[in-house]
Amino acid sequence: MDINSLLSPQESPRETPPPSSKVPAKKPRKPRTSKLANTVNSSPLANTSVPPSLPHNAIVQAQLSVPSPSVISPASALRSSAANTPPADGGRAMRQPSTPGMDTLADLASMQHHQQTARENAGGLRSAEIYENQSSASVLPNLHPMSRPQVAARATIDHPKADAPNRTPSPRRYSASSLTEAELEMVARLVSYLAANPFAYESHVQLVKLLHQGLVSHMAASSSPTGQGDPRTYDLLQDLQSAREAMNATFALGEDLWMDWIEDRKLLATTLDDKITVIESCQKAVEEESGSTRLWLLYAEWMLSLYKIANPQDQRIQGVMESTNGQGWSDEDKLVAREVCSWQQMLEVWRQGVRDTKWRINDSHLLWDQYTELLIADLANIPIGEGIRSIKEHYLDRLQTPHATWDQTFQSFSNFVSRFYNASYEDTMVAANKQGSVSKSRYGQCEDWEVKLQRAKENHDLDAEWRVFSEYIDWEAAQSRKKTTFSFELIDALYQRATLRFPTDTNFWEGYVMFLNNEIATHGRHDLVVQPVLERATRHCPWSGTLWSQQLLTAESNSRPFPEIHHIKHKATSTGLLDAGDMTEVLKVHTAWCGYLRRRAFYPDSTDEEMDVAEVGIRSAIEDMDTVGRAKYGEKYKGDTEYRLERIYIKYLSQSRNWHGARDAWKGLIAKHGDSYEFWLRYYMWEISVYDGTAYREGDLNSSQSTKPLESTKILRQAVKRPKLDWPEKILEVYECHCEDHEDVEELQSAVLQIWKARRTVKKRREKEAAEVYEAAQNQGLQQQQSQQDTSMTESVVNAGKRKREDQDQRPEGDNKKVRANEDAEPVAEPSLPKRDRENSTVIVKNLPVGTSETRVRQFFRDCGTINSLKLGPDGDQQCMSATIEFDSKEDVLTAQTKDMKSFDGTPIEIQVGTGLTLFVTNFPPTADEDFIRQKFAKFGQVVDIRFPSLKGNTHRRFCYVQFKNSSQANAATELDGEVLGDDLKMSVKISDPGKKQERIGPLYEGRELHLSNIDWTATEDDIRQVFSKYGKVERVRLPKNMGGKSKGFGFVVFSSKDEATAALELNLTKLKTRLLNVSLSTNDPAKRQASTITTSNSRSSTSPSPALHTNGDVDDLASPASSTTEQRLSYNEIQSRTVALLNVPDTVNDARITALAEPYGPLVKVVLRPDHQGATVEYKDVASAGKATLGIDGHEIAPGRKLGVGSVKEMLQQREEMRHDRIGANGTKKHSEGAMPFQVQPPIRRPNQPGARRGGKGGLGVKKGGVGWSGPRVTTDGTGKEAEINGTAPDGKAKSNDDFKAMFLKE
């Protein structure tokens, strides 16, 4: 076998022949180790010369080598492809290598150069400087070249002088009356750009659409003597044809572009040859865009029109479609047309179209209905019995397939049965209805999705359409297989529709391929063929390394011959599209290719030549990736962090039993990956596996070495000495275990000493890192504070200079009081420590024994760092427990990870980093509590914790954090993001990431809002707008009002720009009516200490508003000067009698929850939330409602462990704000500062006075005041002889409790 073109990752771009289906005979391989590995000493690229550059059109020639077989007659297409394919050697006679692989190595350097040429031709997707000054430095420094006879390097390479493929025309001056000058200039630029960058997909599409737009505009023009309107007179017609052919040579066109191309060809087709060319285009289109109803309908109707022209007298097609113009056709043309498009050939196209679009439930009826009409029309030419039975089965099959027009199909079948099966009409229709009920119901389940797709398409909303397709597919895939609601065909058709609509979206193509592979691997659908789907996918998305690698793997699993698999790899890497962005995509292809070479080298019937091909091919791929990486990223390129290709090569050497070569390969990776603990663990595990496989079985090591893995020990010893190792604790642990298991006492003692020293060094390193983090946080805090001070000082100086004169002029006469400067400098606050980062300082400990206590867990992890919080609970299977531990810093997490797989009370525990476990949830209903959130997220997994923010600083905060047991559950729960709740609230659910905090936007944060104070009581919003409008556009004026509808004396003005707001500051201390305005920029002051909610617009029982509470707890005067003369005032006691003060309210509860809790007891007037005093006040419209609320709310558990109390406003204001500390102290208890209230004592219940009641002696519950006393029963009857209960005892003699009284009082 000639391996001349199989080794370079991106080979010569000469035309590649189609893969041969004949597998060459293999010579049996002799048992040996690789002769290449045993005899080489340097890179295989040594001592080779660089060949000349390739022709400019070489890449396009390579793309044109891909055959495109037809749908109807694949044999003819294959013959045509074979006839048009040049020889594989480019015109030179094939030569046989004298020895296996000898000439391959002589040509290797030239192929490396060809690969660079291909990339340069694809430069439209990357910078032109990327590939300059490329070097061929090897990733593996100790790779050895193959020892071979010296072969003179060829000075030249002969290239075939084949005709250039159809390409975009050369740049020139374009003119067309149907395009504007700007459009013609764009055409010229696109043509010039594509001439240098033939693989720029978007430019191809833009050029084709622009030229086609010109043709459409040309056709739309009215006919004239100049010939305008005739498609043949379009000036750029040939350019449009060339642009389409150039794009089709490299990329798939897509459904829309194929439709335009075929329609244009139909317009231009005048001769029979032209019309046959349209048939060929249709064949290519329906094959490339599988499942397209539009293309199949276009194809089938074209075939029907040709048949109608060739057979105008055929009665079967009379009235089937509009008559087609057959003028100009000779009898000979019609005779040829009858041969090309016979009745059976025409019906076969319809049949294939119906079969290919059968499961497109939205539009498959467009083909099926017309095809059925043709079948019924054909009944006269076939045996009547056979034809009727065939059409009946055709109908029944359709009725059992979900589709949008099921009712119309059933009606059509009814007409058919009444005509041909009238005797058994009723039985036939009942049976058909029963058979089709499932499919009809199935479409009903999908109808909502189809409506959403149709609506998005009509609105031209591609984003919405893409989203609906994704959700639709996921919904279909989630259907139950056991309940037979799962349908492979429907999902397959959905993927076809999605890829037709979004042909270049890799997500849909990759999902389609993975779906098919899952059906084969998991559900045994071995009848499925994935290769055609992958061929279409890679043609539509040639930049996807995932799709190309899947195609390679699929071809290998299908046992395709080596030339065919290599042909796939060549198509993937020859364009340079894979490494247009980063190198991830091209690496995927190389990984699949090198893995295939390695596996192929060790097949049972593999030969020595196949082993040589594998070794040189893998090494060539490694060197190529390094060359491209250095050219693209320069010295910053560090290689693949997972060193996948190198690991494949090491595996190859290991299978070849070349241990020394594999060991050298590992050593060659140390320079780039030596600071990764994962690298050293992999290296160590490989060395241990070599030791286990060779030391005792082969005896190639001497007896003194066979008992100890010396190389493994050397690896760990070398790893421990790395000063910048990312996780040295793990390596130290492995080193200690290794020496205990394998080494003698002397080596063990030496290792213990080395580990002890290393751990001290690591401890100092961690302390230094923590100090650096702390110092950086301090410096950042100081810089921010200094910046704020500088800004404040600058503004003060500017404002002082500007307003000093104004202050002097506006000072009243005789006022000689000097303004005293503030001589006391404000002390500089110390910088705050970094904010608490729960998301990145948490670990999950699993597999803890049942019954483990929190104290025991803290003891186990006390040496890792400060523990802020610890949550312990049973695991999902109840066989063990798990703990969520939050540490003080990320460094503590690294230390805690060293305890992974350590023994905890005899059980090995598993430790995982808790990153990605917590969700940030916001925009949920205001009344949502912890139970609401837990129920909402419970279906996604175990909710470990829910945290609401404190409202002490800002009562308008409405978000929470939801922590799951693992990251997969948290990621699954993000599907609730965007779900609409309640009053059009679109809930936001994101993975919590403190580093992605977004800047706030709005007038306040953009500096466009002014704060006004000391506003005249009679000033209106129009007055304010009129004064400020001279400085710019005033967007909004807001004057807050009190309960009586009067201004509160302050307000806000929002301008359209910051400059306008700054200019309006000149109005500071100017007179408006009777007062001097105070004007300043609004600041973001979060200290909103209370939230007032006015729950009704109606007045109280009188017209007076109740006094509002100040932040210091005082009460406003009962009457204001502006309203005391016009409004009747209520006494303070009357207002207080219907006001309920709630105590022990958590500072995480908002006013909406308080309102929802209080509303059931009566109509509300006002709710005031006071998180600074752990309370709230609720004012009712009447005293009776307040009394019910007092009894009903008292003792209500508003949060786990927090019961509400009811008292007076004064008692509520005496409570201090809640001091929440959830950090665990040294003794394992949660710390509380002085003055904190970890437990709230329930105050005595205060019951309001009843209207009209007289004060006097106590009567007690159920005892009339002034009656006979506690022991004197006073029993009456209610008119029916039934005892009335007034003495506090029930008829059975049992004493009544407080709960009985509440129930009686609250009873309607």
Side-chain angles (χ1 to χ4, degrees):
M1 178 189 301
D2 184 7
I3 58 173
N4 189 36
S5 62
L6 306 181
L7 306 181
S8 177
Q10 293 179 326
E11 299 84 357
S12 172
R14 296 174 308 198
E15 285 202 71
T16 305
S20 173
S21 59
K22 182 179 179 181
V23 181
K26 295 183 178 180
K27 298 181 292 183
R29 185 180 63 190
K30 299 178 182 179
R32 67 166 181 94
T33 56
S34 173
K35 64 183 180 182
L36 289 177
N38 291 335
T39 60
V40 292
N41 293 314
S42 64
S43 171
L45 296 179
N47 301 322
T48 56
S49 60
V50 179
S53 61
L54 298 178
H56 183 66
N57 63 349
I59 300 301
V60 178
Q61 293 179 16
Q63 291 297 316
L64 288 176
S65 65
V66 182
S68 180
S70 65
V71 174
I72 303 301
S73 55
S76 62
L78 289 176
R79 288 193 299 272
S80 174
S81 176
N84 295 331
T85 303
D89 60 355
R92 294 182 289 120
M94 294 292 293
R95 60 178 178 82
Q96 298 295 331
S98 57
T99 58
M102 187 68 67
D103 293 323
T104 296
L105 300 180
D107 293 339
L108 188 57
S110 67
M111 287 182 286
Q112 296 284 350
H113 177 75
H114 296 168
Q115 150 210 326
Q116 304 302 334
T117 305
R119 288 200 181 96
E120 291 170 2
N121 283 338
L125 299 177
R126 59 192 65 78
S127 173
E129 291 82 9
I130 287 180
Y131 298 107
E132 292 181 358
N133 302 323
Q134 295 186 356
S135 62
S136 59
S138 174
V139 175
L140 304 178
N142 294 324
L143 295 182
H144 311 296
M146 177 171 58
S147 177
R148 61 178 177 84
Q150 295 294 326
V151 180
R154 301 189 187 95
T156 60
I157 295 180
D158 296 330
H159 296 292
K161 299 184 180 298
D163 293 337
N166 291 325
R167 298 196 48 172
T168 304
S170 303
R172 62 180 176 84
R173 178 73 177 176
Y174 293 91
S175 63
S177 59
S178 55
L179 290 176
T180 64
E181 289 297 329
E183 291 172 337
L184 290 173
E185 184 180 354
M186 176 61 69
V187 170
R189 288 203 302 265
L190 288 171
V191 170
S192 177
Y193 180 77
L194 288 171
N197 308 285
F199 299 105
Y201 174 81
E202 294 296 338
S203 298
H204 276 291
V205 175
Q206 189 176 0
L207 177 61
V208 171
K209 288 185 175 180
L210 192 56
L211 293 174
H212 176 69
Q213 176 187 339
L215 176 61
V216 173
S217 301
H218 179 81
M219 290 291 298
S222 60
S223 301
S224 64
T226 61
Q228 191 177 23
D230 185 356
R232 299 172 188 81
T233 61
Y234 177 47
D235 298 329
L236 302 180
L237 183 62
Q238 186 58 41
D239 299 278
L240 174 59
Q241 177 71 10
S242 300
R244 282 168 168 163
E245 291 176 353
M247 181 178 179
N248 190 40
T250 308
F251 302 101
L253 294 180
E255 184 182 35
D256 293 335
L257 293 184
W258 268 119
M259 288 289 298
D260 294 340
W261 195 358
I262 295 173
E263 290 288 359
D264 293 348
R265 282 193 165 178
K266 286 172 59 179
L267 292 173
L268 296 169
T270 56
T271 66
L272 180 60
D273 290 339
D274 294 339
K275 294 182 182 297
I276 293 177
T277 302
V278 175
I279 296 177
E280 295 173 352
S281 298
C282 290
Q283 291 175 353
K284 295 177 182 178
V286 296
E287 179 192 358
E288 192 167 88
E289 308 300 329
S290 178
S292 171
T293 302
R294 296 166 60 200
L295 289 173
W296 272 112
L297 191 61
L298 187 67
Y299 183 14
E301 288 181 344
W302 179 250
M303 292 291 291
L304 182 58
S305 67
L306 293 183
Y307 179 82
K308 195 167 185 178
I309 293 175
N311 304 274
Q313 304 302 324
D314 194 334
Q315 296 298 321
R316 293 174 294 184
I317 57 174
Q318 297 302 321
V320 173
M321 62 182 300
E322 296 180 2
S323 61
T324 306
N325 186 10
Q327 296 180 358
W329 281 46
S330 64
D331 294 338
E332 183 181 356
D333 288 341
K334 292 182 179 180
L335 182 61
V336 174
R338 293 189 189 101
E339 295 294 329
V340 174
C341 184
S342 65
W343 177 264
Q344 292 302 326
Q345 289 174 322
M346 182 268 295
L347 275 186
E348 179 64 16
V349 172
W350 282 96
R351 186 188 65 81
Q352 288 192 26
V354 168
R355 182 182 59 188
D356 199 29
T357 61
K358 175 181 179 180
W359 293 94
R360 288 180 60 108
I361 62 177
N362 62 318
D363 58 5
S364 59
H365 59 278
L366 299 176
L367 275 163
W368 189 92
D369 291 345
Q370 293 191 47
Y371 176 51
T372 304
E373 292 181 14
L374 294 175
L375 291 179
I376 295 176
D378 194 36
L379 280 176
N381 295 332
I382 58 177
I384 188 66
E386 180 182 345
I388 293 175
R389 285 193 300 272
S390 176
I391 296 177
K392 179 182 178 182
E393 294 298 326
H394 173 70
Y395 267 109
L396 291 177
D397 178 72
R398 181 62 173 171
L399 290 173
Q400 296 177 55
T401 304
H403 60 282
T405 58
W406 191 95
D407 291 330
Q408 292 87 331
T409 304
F410 189 77
Q411 182 62 43
S412 176
F413 181 58
S414 173
N415 297 334
F416 173 80
V417 172
S418 64
R419 177 181 176 187
F420 296 102
Y421 292 94
N422 193 41
S424 58
Y425 174 84
E426 197 170 315
D427 294 339
T428 303
M429 295 306 297
V430 170
N433 185 50
K434 183 177 181 181
Q435 293 177 12
S437 60
V438 175
S439 62
K440 182 179 180 181
S441 173
R442 191 69 175 83
Y443 177 79
Q445 298 173 2
C446 304
E447 190 170 11
D448 289 342
W449 293 106
E450 296 295 338
V451 171
K452 292 178 182 178
L453 281 175
Q454 185 62 27
R455 187 181 298 118
K457 187 175 182 180
E458 292 172 352
N459 295 334
H460 304 287
D461 190 346
L462 284 178
D463 292 337
E465 199 171 353
W466 188 95
R467 185 169 56 255
V468 173
F469 263 123
S470 300
E471 296 173 355
Y472 193 179
I473 291 172
D474 292 341
W475 176 81
E476 279 286 3
Q479 298 302 306
S480 173
R481 294 177 185 266
K482 294 181 178 180
K483 297 180 180 179
T484 66
T485 56
F486 177 87
S487 174
F488 166 81
E489 291 79 7
L490 288 179
I491 301 176
D492 184 74
L494 268 179
Y495 271 117
Q496 286 186 352
R497 292 168 60 186
T499 53
L500 284 170
R501 186 60 175 157
F502 302 95
T504 59
D505 189 285
T506 57
N507 293 309
F508 283 132
W509 283 112
E510 291 173 7
Y512 190 11
V513 171
M514 295 305 173
F515 165 71
L516 295 176
N517 286 334
N518 179 67
E519 290 295 310
I520 296 173
T522 307
H523 303 287
R525 293 292 303 272
H526 299 293
D527 58 314
L528 300 178
V529 181
V530 187
Q531 196 68 21
V533 177
L534 283 165
E535 290 174 359
R536 298 200 309 271
T538 51
R539 184 155 163 76
H540 284 86
C541 304
W543 45 80
S544 172
T546 300
L547 293 174
W548 284 113
S549 61
Q550 279 295 315
Q551 189 172 3
L552 288 170
L553 291 175
T554 302
E556 181 184 1
S557 64
N558 293 337
S559 302
R560 304 307 302 163
F562 179 80
E564 182 176 337
I565 298 178
H566 171 260
H567 183 67
I568 295 172
K569 182 258 179 185
H570 168 76
K571 289 192 297 182
T573 57
S574 61
T575 63
L577 291 173
L578 287 173
D579 54 339
D582 55 19
M583 299 179 61
T584 304
E585 301 303 315
V586 69
L587 182 61
K588 293 177 182 178
V589 177
H590 284 319
T591 302
W593 169 247
C594 293
Y596 162 67
L597 291 179
R598 180 191 64 79
R599 291 186 291 272
R600 174 175 173 267
F602 296 98
Y603 287 164
D605 58 345
S606 61
T607 64
D608 292 343
E609 183 176 335
E610 289 166 345
M611 291 192 66
D612 296 340
V613 169
E615 180 168 5
V616 180
I618 296 172
R619 290 162 59 184
S620 177
I622 295 173
E623 293 167 356
D624 178 72
M625 288 297 298
D626 186 69
T627 301
V628 175
R630 290 178 182 275
K632 194 168 187 177
Y633 300 107
E635 295 301 324
K636 296 180 180 180
Y637 179 67
K638 300 300 181 182
D640 177 22
T641 56
E642 298 294 327
Y643 40 95
R644 281 163 277 196
L645 299 181
E646 291 85 350
R647 283 157 52 193
I648 293 174
Y649 182 61
I650 291 171
K651 181 65 176 178
Y652 166 82
L653 294 175
S654 301
Q655 287 182 281
S656 301
R657 312 187 72 77
N658 183 7
W659 315 119
H660 297 293
R663 190 173 290 114
D664 290 341
W666 277 113
K667 292 178 181 178
L669 295 172
I670 294 178
K672 292 183 178 179
H673 307 285
D675 291 335
S676 170
Y677 83 96
E678 291 182 348
F679 165 77
W680 289 105
L681 288 182
R682 284 173 175 167
Y683 187 6
Y684 166 74
M685 294 303 297
W686 175 85
E687 196 66 66
I688 280 292
S689 66
V690 172
Y691 165 76
D692 292 339
T694 61
Y696 298 107
R697 298 178 184 177
E698 298 187 358
D700 56 349
L701 302 177
N702 58 49
S703 59
S704 63
Q705 294 175 326
S706 61
T707 58
K708 294 193 302 181
L710 299 182
E711 293 294 335
S712 302
T713 307
K714 291 179 182 178
I715 291 171
L716 294 175
R717 190 182 298 122
Q718 185 179 0
V720 168
K721 295 179 181 179
R722 300 287 297 191
K724 296 182 179 180
L725 194 63
D726 53 359
W727 193 8
E729 293 90 345
K730 188 68 175 179
I731 297 298
L732 291 173
E733 181 182 349
V734 174
Y735 186 24
E736 185 176 14
C737 296
H738 168 79
C739 293
E740 291 176 351
D741 294 340
H742 299 285
E743 293 295 344
D744 54 25
V745 63
E746 289 81 6
E747 182 64 31
L748 177 60
Q749 181 64 29
S750 175
V752 169
L753 179 60
Q754 186 178 3
I755 292 171
W756 181 81
K757 293 180 180 179
R759 282 177 174 162
R760 288 172 59 88
T761 303
V762 170
K763 183 178 179 181
K764 293 180 180 179
R765 170 183 162 187
R766 298 300 187 204
E767 292 174 351
K768 181 180 178 182
E769 291 173 351
E772 291 174 352
V773 171
Y774 178 77
E775 183 178 358
Q778 282 187 319
N779 293 335
Q780 183 179 3
L782 287 173
Q783 291 175 0
Q784 292 177 352
Q785 185 173 5
Q786 184 65 34
S787 176
Q788 294 175 356
Q789 289 179 351
D790 293 342
T791 303
S792 176
M793 184 178 298
T794 302
E795 292 179 353
S796 299
V797 171
V798 173
N799 294 336
K802 183 172 61 176
R803 298 172 182 168
K804 181 177 180 180
R805 182 66 181 175
E806 298 176 1
D807 293 343
Q808 294 176 354
D809 294 341
Q810 295 180 5
R811 188 174 302 164
E813 295 183 6
D815 186 2
N816 298 323
K817 184 186 295 184
K818 295 184 179 180
V819 179
R820 184 177 61 185
N822 184 11
E823 299 176 355
D824 297 332
E826 183 179 354
V828 178
E830 294 200 6
S832 60
L833 292 175
K835 291 185 177 181
R836 188 170 177 180
D837 188 1
R838 291 184 176 92
E839 284 72 16
N840 297 311
S841 58
T842 302
V843 297
I844 308 299
V845 184
K846 298 184 177 181
N847 204 31
L848 292 169
V850 177
T852 302
S853 64
E854 291 189 10
T855 303
R856 179 69 184 95
V857 176
R858 287 197 302 270
Q859 291 175 348
F860 188 80
F861 288 94
R862 60 187 174 188
D863 58 336
C864 299
T866 303
I867 297 177
N868 285 341
S869 67
L870 188 152
K871 298 183 183 298
L872 184 66
D875 212 337
D877 54 6
Q878 304 294 328
Q879 300 296 323
C880 56
M881 303 183 69
S882 62
T884 302
I885 305 177
E886 180 200 344
F887 287 95
D888 196 51
S889 65
K890 299 179 182 179
E891 290 72 21
D892 297 341
V893 171
L894 293 176
T895 307
Q897 285 181 296
T898 61
K899 295 183 178 291
D900 185 30
M901 301 311 294
K902 286 291 188 67
S903 176
F904 184 96
D905 294 344
T907 303
I909 59 175
E910 179 183 354
I911 298 178
Q912 298 177 356
V913 179
T915 304
L917 303 178
T918 305
L919 298 177
F920 176 74
V921 184
T922 185
N923 211 30
F924 43 78
T927 57
D929 56 6
E930 182 174 334
D931 291 339
F932 176 88
I933 299 296
R934 190 176 297 275
Q935 292 174 7
K936 197 70 180 174
F937 289 89
K939 62 181 179 180
F940 299 101
Q942 181 178 348
V943 177
V944 177
D945 188 25
I946 299 175
R947 302 192 305 272
F948 284 88
S950 172
L951 305 181
K952 289 184 292 186
N954 185 354
T955 57
H956 294 160
R957 305 170 83 186
R958 190 166 84 243
F959 62 87
C960 70
Y961 296 94
V962 181
Q963 182 178 346
F964 282 89
K965 184 178 179 182
N966 55 57
S967 58
S968 61
Q969 296 174 352
N971 287 323
T974 56
E975 74 176 45
L976 294 179
D977 184 44
E979 179 177 341
V980 178
L981 302 175
D983 299 331
D984 294 332
L985 290 175
K986 186 174 289 187
M987 186 166 61
S988 174
V989 181
K990 308 289 184 183
I991 297 294
S992 178
D993 186 356
K996 293 184 178 180
K997 186 176 181 180
Q998 299 179 350
E999 292 187 2
R1000 298 182 178 182
I1001 59 175
L1004 173 64
Y1005 305 100
E1006 296 170 3
R1008 299 188 289 112
E1009 183 179 86
L1010 297 180
H1011 177 262
L1012 315 181
S1013 61
N1014 201 35
I1015 301 176
D1016 188 273
W1017 299 106
T1018 61
T1020 64
E1021 292 184 357
D1022 292 337
D1023 296 334
I1024 301 296
R1025 186 182 300 273
Q1026 182 177 1
V1027 171
F1028 283 85
S1029 60
K1030 63 181 180 180
Y1031 294 95
K1033 181 180 179 181
V1034 177
E1035 292 184 350
R1036 187 172 71 245
V1037 175
R1038 183 164 61 92
L1039 296 179
K1041 296 178 173 56
N1042 58 20
M1043 290 292 297
K1046 302 300 181 180
S1047 172
K1048 291 186 176 181
F1050 67 92
F1052 303 90
V1053 178
V1054 177
F1055 283 90
S1056 60
S1057 68
K1058 181 179 180 179
D1059 295 337
E1060 295 172 349
T1062 304
L1065 292 174
E1066 294 181 359
L1067 293 175
N1068 185 45
L1069 299 180
T1070 58
K1071 190 172 184 180
L1072 177 63
K1073 293 193 174 182
T1074 61
R1075 293 192 176 192
L1076 294 179
L1077 276 178
N1078 292 323
V1079 183
S1080 62
L1081 285 173
S1082 294
T1083 59
N1084 182 19
D1085 183 9
K1088 175 108 173 117
R1089 306 291 282 179
Q1090 68 181 43
S1092 299
T1093 303
I1094 302 173
T1095 60
T1096 178
S1097 59
N1098 299 328
S1099 61
R1100 300 175 179 84
S1101 53
S1102 68
T1103 60
S1104 171
S1106 68
L1109 294 175
H1110 283 303
T1111 56
N1112 60 4
D1114 296 334
V1115 182
D1116 285 343
D1117 293 337
L1118 294 178
S1120 64
S1123 59
S1124 59
T1125 60
T1126 60
E1127 295 182 352
Q1128 182 180 359
R1129 293 292 169 180
L1130 297 175
S1131 68
Y1132 174 76
N1133 290 334
E1134 288 183 75
I1135 296 175
Q1136 288 295 91
S1137 67
R1138 60 185 187 220
T1139 300
V1140 177
L1142 306 184
L1143 312 178
N1144 196 27
V1145 178
D1147 61 4
T1148 59
V1149 175
N1150 58 16
D1151 54 342
R1153 291 178 60 185
I1154 297 296
T1155 302
L1157 176 65
E1159 275 183 334
Y1161 300 101
L1164 301 177
V1165 174
K1166 188 177 183 181
V1167 174
V1168 179
L1169 182 66
R1170 298 301 301 267
D1172 53 336
H1173 292 285
Q1174 301 187 68
T1177 60
V1178 181
E1179 181 182 348
Y1180 287 89
K1181 292 191 66 174
D1182 54 69
V1183 177
S1185 299
K1188 291 182 180 181
T1190 301
L1191 298 174
I1193 296 177
D1194 180 49
H1196 174 78
E1197 188 172 7
I1198 195 169
R1202 295 293 294 270
K1203 292 185 178 182
L1204 296 179
V1206 179
S1208 64
V1209 176
K1210 182 178 180 180
E1211 291 171 341
M1212 185 267 293
L1213 294 177
Q1214 288 176 350
Q1215 293 186 129
R1216 294 189 178 185
E1217 66 179 25
E1218 183 178 358
M1219 304 296 293
R1220 295 194 302 166
H1221 291 279
D1222 55 355
R1223 297 176 185 256
I1224 300 177
N1227 59 354
T1229 60
K1230 293 187 178 182
K1231 297 182 290 186
H1232 297 278
S1233 61
E1234 182 181 356
M1237 301 181 66
F1239 177 75
Q1240 300 293 331
V1241 180
Q1242 295 292 337
I1245 298 176
R1246 179 186 63 82
R1247 311 194 191 282
N1249 298 327
Q1250 300 300 317
R1254 295 179 301 166
R1255 295 188 176 274
K1258 294 182 179 180
L1261 295 179
V1263 178
K1264 183 178 180 182
K1265 183 171 65 173
V1268 296
W1270 288 97
S1271 59
R1274 185 174 182 271
V1275 181
T1276 63
T1277 61
D1278 58 1
T1280 60
K1282 182 179 179 180
E1283 277 191 349
E1285 306 166 16
I1286 60 172
N1287 61 350
T1289 60
D1292 56 3
K1294 294 182 179 179
K1296 298 180 70 173
S1297 64
N1298 197 31
D1299 293 336
D1300 295 327
F1301 175 78
K1302 287 183 179 181
M1304 181 179 65
F1305 187 82
L1306 296 174
K1307 186 177 180 180
E1308 293 294 339

